[in-house]
Amino acid sequence: MSARHAGAAPKGAGKGRGKKVAATNFLNYPRAGRKNPWRWIPSLRMIVGAMALFVLAGLGFAVWLYNDTEVPEPSDFALAQTSRVYFADGETEMGKFSEINRTELPADEIPDNVKQAVVASEDSSFYENRGVSPRGIVRAFVNNLQGGARQGGSTITMQYVERYYTGTETSYVGKAKEAVMALKADQELSKDEILSRYLNTIYFGRGAYGVQEASQAYFDKDASELTDAEAAPLVAVIPSPSTYDPANDLEGATQLWDRVITRQVAEEQMTPAEADALEFPKTVEPNSENSLGGTNGYLLSQVRNELIAEGFTEDEINTGGFTIVSTIDPAIQENTVQAVENLPEDRPENNRVGTVTMDPSTGAIRGMYGGADYVTQAQNDATQSRMQAGSIFKTFTLIAALEDGYPLDSRWDGNSPKTFRGGWTVKNFNDIDYGRVTLETATTNSINTAYAEANLEIGPERTQETAISLGLPEDTPGLDAESSNVLGSASPTVAEMAEVYGSIASGGVHRDSYVVQSVTRPDGSSRYEHETTETQGMDEEVAINATVALQGPPTQGSARDLQNVMGGRPVAGKTGTSERFRSAWFVGFTPRLVTAVGMFQPSADGTSEETLTPFGGEQNITGGTFPTQIWGDIMSTSLEGEEYLEFPEEVRLDNETQERSYVPPPTQEPEPTQAPEPTQEEPSEEPTTEEPTTEEPTTEEPTTEEPTTEEPTTEEPEPTEEPSSEEPPADEEPPADQPTEEPSADEQGGDEEADAGLPEVEDLLPGEGQGAGGGREGRAAAEKGTDCGRPLRAVPQPDPREGAPLDHGPSTVREPPHPPDGADRRLHGRRRRPERDLHRRLVRPCQARHARKPVEGLIARSARQAPADLLGPIGPAARTDRSAQCPARTLGRLSVRRVHAYRDMRQR
């Protein structure tokens, strides 16, 4: 009974199982009538609806993207890629940045072997696809998901579009846009035209864009002459030109070349036998990119560096299609290059020269020489090479002294050697004594000891501060506040010194130097225009007086040869020679232009400087030799035909109120020494060292040193070596021993009557100038007799080239002409006086022991102590050793003619 009813169903149960439950919403989600978890699984209707929605949305986006994307004209973009640099005239092309070095070829002139190779290597389905390759896109997508090297699945058409419009794209969105443009380009252009444009624009390395320039860069031949073996390596380098260049990786390039040949065989473009017969071709050595060969390469490099400093990027410069106008004057640049080429033919190969010519009124660089060839030497000797400054640094001490109230006629001790506090010993070249000299004279003759004393007086930090305020970078190597900084221990560049001296030439206004005037876009709009910024580095009056002092070296000093080439134009400047003749400088200016010239010789490893190897008949290379010659050649030709402009006259500064505070330690007066014989060489100055030591900061001339012998001393009142053929005993004044102490008042007064009837003597004492600063220490020195009373000794005339003696003989001693009565010019930094006052100064007695001696006696004494052959009946008198002169430095300049003139004046 129970078994029979076991399978029976309740009444109505069959009807309930077959009845559907109504959906609660349009999507029927969650599904009605279903139990968990089935009610959460989407129905087929929902899945199909979602897929249809996505397809419609995708199609809509594709339609919008297709209609919104346009294919640009390829020629517009191609022309916008070449940036050209011009000289200041805007017409003469200096060069171009050759990443866009392209020569387009018509489609029928591109050889078939190149077309076949690129199709086999880059896109074997090129002639079948419609601009995109779905198979390639899927392959790249799968590869990227698997973590392989990122691929884009690009066809040749897509690569063509990438280079003409989108740029390099790796994102999926970018690739989608690129694919749409490829579809449109494929519809608008033939396959052969797309392939030709691609081969005309693709970058092959070595600065070559397009197959024609690539053929020249790799094989030095036209593309039409390429063989099958030569076409394959050009195609092989396309993925990464720099990496696969045979010059960089021959093995890798060979493997890629073999891959291209293998694919060509697979595409039946050649037979296996033809492929086996091919050998990897030999390529030529790569040339420097951007056409930087020769001297113009330094200019182009400087233009690029300045643009980058102004915010341009490398890619923008290389592909922006800019018209760049520089400040370089083509005529001045030609003169600059020629000036260096004019150097003697025996100039050593490792002798290096850098020059910069600048307009001080704007800061624009008008000419630059950084080297002979940028390809063989990329370092710019004008803007990058550094060399020790030497005496050109004295200009900063000169300016600082003027600013601190010391006028040009303030007096300083120019004797040599001289030991300062701290044991710092300084010598002049050849150890020449100059006596007490004005600041202006110290500049003209580049007197080390006088400038060392001035630097200690104002403080070495003032020299450093002045250099920085005039534009020298604070981080210049060797620029410090040590005592020796006045002697040029710092190592600036030539461009920096041109900029600094330009501040002096422009009346104290500092302007940064620059070489780029303007940058214009391809559409003619301005991308960049230089704007000059000015800062007042020093007062204009100080700059004027500094210019007055700096006119000494080019007229009477080490650079006086410029008088023969500048045609009377006023020139101001300073020579410099560093320690052991390791560098030589001349930095000078006219009212129109400033030019800096530096010469040095690097060591074999390029880490240090060597002594300049002599050449051109010069025994030592100094600032007064070839640097001055180069400067003159540049400036004389560059200013030819320009108006002559004069420098302003010296002005009296309102701040001339300072007095000397540094008093040198008393030293025992040295015994007279025999003067060195004159030599034919003319080194400009003694080289300087970088920091003060117990030794002299200057080195001796690297030639055989001329011996000096001390004059024998004796207790006899008369020197034993005095020639017996001198003046008759009747006229002879009893010789006096060298004074060792200041004469008493009685001694001075005893000769008071001897002055009766003599012309009136100036009130100005030796060692005291006209300015308010006045160098008043000179009066104290004179009263102590430290600079007077020593026997006068005849020596050769020191060469104005910073102290070297000349072998010109007495007949060539030149004196500046005496001005006529009332003439308005200065003599030795002082205001001019009438002729009668000049005679008074000429015969003015010394202070101390000689203060009251008759002038005739002084003349006689100087005559007895000078060699007889220097005192002819009417010729010029012997120059006397500056260490033995009266501080006024007049007695040693007397001649027999002047003595007679003075006596005639007294008789009248």
Side-chain angles (χ1 to χ4, degrees):
M1 186 72 167
S2 59
R4 186 175 53 197
H5 297 288
K11 187 177 180 179
K15 293 182 179 182
R17 186 179 297 119
K19 188 175 180 180
K20 267 188 174 183
V21 178
T24 58
N25 53 59
F26 174 75
L27 295 178
N28 190 26
Y29 190 82
R31 298 170 64 184
R34 300 290 184 179
K35 295 183 179 180
N36 290 333
W38 303 108
R39 64 192 302 262
W40 298 106
I41 299 176
S43 63
L44 180 62
R45 178 175 60 179
M46 183 177 180
I47 294 173
V48 171
M51 291 180 62
L53 183 63
F54 278 115
V55 170
L56 291 175
L59 289 175
F61 176 77
V63 171
W64 172 83
L65 186 63
Y66 186 86
N67 292 330
D68 186 66
T69 303
E70 297 181 359
V71 178
E73 290 293 330
S75 58
D76 292 343
F77 188 77
L79 292 177
Q81 295 183 10
T82 301
S83 295
R84 302 181 184 275
V85 184
Y86 295 88
F87 285 92
D89 58 9
E91 299 177 355
T92 307
E93 184 173 323
M94 179 188 296
K96 58 186 179 182
F97 299 115
S98 61
E99 285 191 16
I100 320 303
N101 183 21
R102 177 190 298 123
T103 301
E104 292 192 8
L105 294 178
D108 57 353
E109 293 185 14
I110 298 178
D112 289 337
N113 54 6
V114 176
K115 293 179 179 179
Q116 292 171 357
V118 75
V119 168
S121 177
E122 296 295 313
D123 183 8
S124 59
S125 66
F126 171 72
Y127 288 104
E128 290 79 27
N129 63 50
R130 306 305 300 172
V132 295
S133 174
R135 182 178 61 184
I137 293 175
V138 172
R139 182 184 67 249
F141 181 74
V142 173
N143 174 81
N144 295 343
L145 289 179
Q146 292 176 347
R150 193 172 183 82
Q151 298 179 358
S154 296
T155 62
I156 287 179
T157 308
M158 293 176 68
Q159 292 183 51
Y160 155 74
V161 168
E162 180 181 59
R163 281 155 180 80
Y164 267 78
Y165 187 70
T166 63
T168 303
E169 289 286 354
T170 56
S171 65
Y172 294 116
V173 175
K175 286 296 182 182
K177 188 175 182 180
E178 190 178 283
V180 172
M181 293 181 63
L183 288 170
K184 300 186 78 170
D186 189 78
Q187 294 177 0
E188 298 174 2
L189 302 172
S190 66
K191 290 290 186 179
D192 196 49
E193 182 68 18
I194 292 174
L195 184 59
S196 298
R197 292 186 176 185
Y198 171 77
L199 289 172
N200 272 324
T201 59
I202 194 72
Y203 182 58
F204 289 90
R206 299 193 180 189
Y209 280 77
V211 65
Q212 170 64 18
E213 293 301 329
S215 178
Q216 291 286 346
Y218 284 89
F219 301 107
D220 196 22
K221 61 173 64 176
D222 290 335
S224 59
E225 302 174 1
L226 291 173
T227 64
D228 291 344
E230 293 170 339
L234 291 184
V235 174
V237 301
I238 290 177
S240 181
S242 298
T243 303
Y244 302 138
D245 188 331
N248 299 331
D249 184 3
L250 180 59
E251 182 179 354
T254 303
Q255 293 176 355
L256 289 176
W257 173 82
D258 185 70
R259 170 181 169 275
V260 173
I261 298 297
T262 301
R263 290 195 174 188
Q264 286 188 269
V265 173
E267 294 294 324
E268 299 181 353
Q269 295 176 358
M270 65 175 65
T271 64
E274 293 173 336
D276 292 340
L278 299 178
E279 294 182 358
F280 187 84
K282 182 179 180 180
T283 60
V284 299
E285 290 297 320
N287 294 324
S288 177
E289 294 186 3
N290 300 338
S291 302
L292 294 178
T295 57
N296 281 358
Y298 299 97
L299 304 178
L300 292 171
S301 177
Q302 186 68 14
V303 167
R304 176 186 290 273
N305 293 338
E306 190 166 305
L307 290 176
I308 292 175
E310 293 294 338
F312 288 75
T313 64
E314 288 275 3
D315 289 340
E316 188 179 10
I317 296 171
N318 295 336
T319 64
F322 297 125
T323 297
I324 305 169
V325 179
S326 72
T327 62
I328 304 296
D329 185 298
I332 295 178
Q333 181 63 21
E334 182 179 355
N335 297 336
T336 299
V337 176
Q338 187 61 48
V340 179
E341 293 178 352
N342 288 342
L343 292 173
E345 294 182 356
D346 61 340
R347 175 190 172 201
E349 291 186 3
N350 59 344
N351 179 279
R352 305 264 282 270
V353 173
T355 78
V356 169
T357 299
M358 189 184 77
D359 181 353
S361 65
T362 62
I365 295 176
R366 298 303 185 191
M368 176 189 294
Y369 185 89
D373 183 22
Y374 184 85
V375 175
T376 57
Q377 175 201 311
Q379 178 161 319
N380 190 329
D381 288 331
T383 62
Q384 296 174 317
S385 297
R386 296 187 175 276
M387 58 199 90
Q388 200 174 47
S391 287
I392 59 174
F393 235 69
K394 291 174 181 172
T395 300
F396 302 130
T397 304
L398 165 68
I399 293 171
L402 292 173
E403 289 179 333
D404 289 358
Y406 299 99
L408 291 179
D409 60 358
S410 59
R411 297 249 173 193
W412 310 87
D413 189 355
N415 290 326
S416 175
K418 190 171 179 61
T419 301
F420 299 93
R421 55 194 173 205
W424 182 37
T425 300
V426 180
K427 284 186 177 182
N428 298 325
F429 189 80
N430 278 347
D431 215 13
I432 292 178
D433 290 333
Y434 291 87
R436 300 199 63 79
V437 296
T438 65
L439 189 59
E440 185 175 1
T441 301
T443 305
T444 298
N445 295 323
S446 193
I447 303 175
N448 291 338
T449 55
Y451 261 100
E453 182 182 15
N455 196 40
L456 290 174
E457 172 68 19
I458 64 174
E461 66 279 357
R462 289 286 293 118
T463 296
Q464 179 188 31
E465 293 167 0
T466 302
I468 295 173
S469 67
L470 293 181
L472 198 66
E474 294 186 29
D475 59 352
T476 300
L479 180 59
D480 51 34
E482 297 296 330
S483 303
S484 62
N485 61 9
V486 63
L487 302 179
S489 57
S491 297
T493 66
V494 172
E496 290 169 353
M497 293 310 299
E499 186 175 308
V500 167
Y501 272 66
S503 301
I504 306 172
S506 61
V509 178
H510 171 72
R511 299 177 179 90
D512 291 332
S513 60
Y514 66 99
V515 74
V516 177
Q517 188 62 51
S518 64
V519 179
T520 306
R521 297 187 181 94
D523 61 2
S525 61
S526 176
R527 171 67 175 83
Y528 169 80
E529 188 77 27
H530 176 78
E531 295 181 0
T532 301
T533 57
E534 300 179 354
T535 57
Q536 193 70 37
M538 60 179 166
D539 291 339
E540 182 178 5
E541 293 78 8
V542 173
I544 290 174
N545 283 4
T547 302
V548 170
L550 290 173
Q551 292 177 63
T555 54
Q556 304 174 33
S558 56
R560 67 187 182 281
D561 289 345
L562 292 175
Q563 297 299 302
N564 300 326
V565 297
M566 292 303 293
R569 288 184 184 274
V571 176
K574 187 72 185 72
T575 57
T577 307
S578 68
E579 178 187 10
R580 299 185 184 277
F581 302 96
R582 292 176 178 174
S583 61
W585 292 78
F586 182 68
V587 188
F589 55 91
T590 68
R592 290 186 180 274
L593 293 173
V594 56
T595 294
V597 180
M599 179 179 287
F600 72 105
Q601 182 171 309
S603 60
D605 57 5
T607 59
S608 60
E609 297 176 43
E610 297 177 345
T611 297
L612 288 163
T613 301
F615 66 97
E618 296 289 346
Q619 185 172 357
N620 295 302
I621 306 302
T622 66
T625 57
F626 295 119
T628 297
Q629 173 187 316
I630 295 171
W631 192 98
D633 288 348
I634 294 173
M635 296 290 275
S636 61
T637 53
S638 299
L639 293 172
E640 188 174 350
E642 297 288 340
E643 179 185 1
Y644 278 53
L645 299 177
E646 298 290 338
F647 289 119
E649 294 291 333
E650 179 185 355
V651 297
R652 182 179 178 87
L653 303 179
D654 295 336
N655 67 341
E656 294 181 4
T657 58
Q658 298 297 322
E659 294 189 7
R660 302 277 297 285
S661 61
Y662 173 69
V663 179
T667 57
Q668 186 173 4
E669 190 171 320
E671 292 294 327
T673 60
Q674 181 178 342
E677 294 295 329
T679 61
Q680 294 293 338
E681 63 217 38
E682 301 181 5
S684 64
E685 64 195 32
E686 185 170 5
T688 60
T689 58
E690 294 188 7
E691 56 184 350
T693 62
T694 56
E695 300 177 355
E696 60 182 67
T698 59
T699 67
E700 69 255 13
E701 184 181 358
T703 58
T704 304
E705 187 174 346
E706 299 177 2
T708 61
T709 59
E710 290 192 2
E711 185 176 347
T713 59
T714 176
E715 296 181 1
E716 296 294 328
E718 293 188 8
T720 58
E721 69 273 23
E722 182 178 333
S724 59
S725 60
E726 296 199 359
E727 294 188 11
D731 297 334
E732 189 171 319
E733 181 178 324
D737 292 335
Q738 179 177 336
T740 57
E741 60 184 26
E742 185 177 354
S744 64
D746 294 335
E747 289 176 321
Q748 294 182 6
D751 291 321
E752 210 163 333
E753 286 186 40
D755 291 339
L758 291 177
E760 197 174 11
V761 178
E762 292 184 64
D763 293 331
L764 186 67
L765 296 180
E768 184 171 351
Q770 292 290 339
R776 289 175 173 78
E777 187 185 0
R779 181 189 295 271
E783 292 174 352
K784 293 178 181 180
T786 56
D787 286 320
C788 295
R790 286 179 284 182
L792 301 176
R793 293 174 287 110
V795 298
Q797 164 63 16
D799 180 9
R801 293 190 178 197
E802 306 183 21
L806 282 175
D807 192 15
H808 293 324
S811 61
T812 58
V813 173
R814 295 176 294 177
E815 292 265 339
H818 293 288
D821 288 344
D824 186 18
R825 61 189 286 274
R826 290 168 294 121
L827 179 65
H828 299 298
R830 303 185 181 198
R831 293 171 178 77
R832 282 168 290 241
R833 296 171 171 79
E835 186 176 74
R836 189 169 182 84
D837 286 342
L838 269 177
H839 282 285
R840 293 184 204 157
R841 296 177 61 209
L842 191 65
V843 300
R844 181 180 57 199
C846 292
Q847 286 298 112
R849 188 172 186 84
H850 300 314
R852 302 304 178 188
K853 297 292 183 181
V855 173
E856 288 85 347
L858 293 176
I859 295 171
R861 183 179 298 111
S862 66
R864 287 197 308 275
Q865 293 169 347
D869 59 342
L870 294 184
L871 290 175
I874 198 167
R879 298 276 182 168
T880 60
D881 189 334
R882 296 177 186 270
S883 67
Q885 288 181 27
C886 163
R889 301 192 341 185
T890 57
L891 293 177
R893 302 189 179 193
L894 293 177
S895 66
V896 174
R897 177 179 297 174
R898 291 187 183 181
V899 172
H900 292 321
Y902 166 67
R903 289 175 175 171
D904 292 343
M905 181 189 69
R906 288 196 59 195
Q907 292 173 3
R908 290 196 298 268

